[in-house]
Amino acid sequence: MISLTVPEGVLTAEAATELQKTLATTLLHWEGAPDNAMFRALAWCRIDEVPAGRFASLEDDLPRFRVDVTVPEGALSDRRKEGLIKQVTGDVSAAAGLGEHDGLRVWVLIHEQPEGTWGAASNVIRFAELKKLAQAAAQQG
């Protein structure tokens, strides 16, 4: 799951819709998940717009962007975390029209969900089960 917090009006409706798809695809890529219907259905992206002036820094009024990424514990190696952070920063920067020197306005926070603390469809979801499903899908495709 990936969530972007952004000040209201910074992204056009079209840019927000496209960015939702892009961020979800980016997350699946760095998790190493297969590109199939099941894993795409599990790749949620939420964009939360906050009222103008309610998400700012002490220094200036330029928009800030916080991206919260929630993954199962162990899903991302350090290399994958670094790649995810770099690509998500680029995705958000491109959608918002930020320049190459605006990277500090985009923060990416990775939250690793401990084993046994994530559930869906009334069941505890385990990372090992997801990994087996991904491996089986890779062998079929």
Side-chain angles (χ1 to χ4, degrees):
M1 182 182 320
I2 190 163
S3 299
L4 169 64
T5 304
V6 58
E8 208 169 46
V10 171
L11 299 173
T12 66
E14 297 82 19
T17 298
E18 189 60 33
L19 185 56
Q20 276 185 297
K21 294 174 189 174
T22 300
L23 290 174
T25 300
T26 296
L27 177 57
L28 285 177
H29 168 78
W30 287 103
E31 284 183 315
D35 185 10
N36 64 30
M38 185 191 90
F39 281 91
R40 284 192 304 269
L42 295 175
W44 295 8
C45 181
R46 174 180 166 161
I47 296 180
D48 294 312
E49 289 187 310
V50 296
R54 296 290 183 208
F55 189 46
S57 101
L58 292 174
E59 178 62 20
D60 55 52
D61 292 333
L62 296 172
R64 298 311 198 266
F65 306 82
R66 186 184 77 205
V67 183
D68 290 284
V69 181
T70 304
V71 297
E73 189 172 55
L76 298 173
S77 65
D78 286 346
R79 179 189 66 79
R80 287 181 181 271
K81 287 176 189 175
E82 289 173 13
L84 174 67
I85 290 167
K86 183 175 183 173
Q87 189 169 350
V88 164
T89 300
D91 293 343
V92 171
S93 295
L98 301 181
E100 64 181 71
H101 300 293
D102 293 321
L104 285 175
R105 292 174 36 210
V106 180
W107 286 22
V108 180
L109 308 172
I110 297 174
H111 309 278
E112 293 185 288
Q113 196 65 35
E115 189 68 14
T117 63
W118 174 32
S122 300
N123 296 296
V124 173
I125 305 297
R126 305 226 178 258
F127 177 59
E129 294 165 356
L130 290 174
K131 197 171 180 179
K132 283 181 189 176
L133 288 171
Q135 289 169 342
Q139 290 174 353
Q140 290 177 352

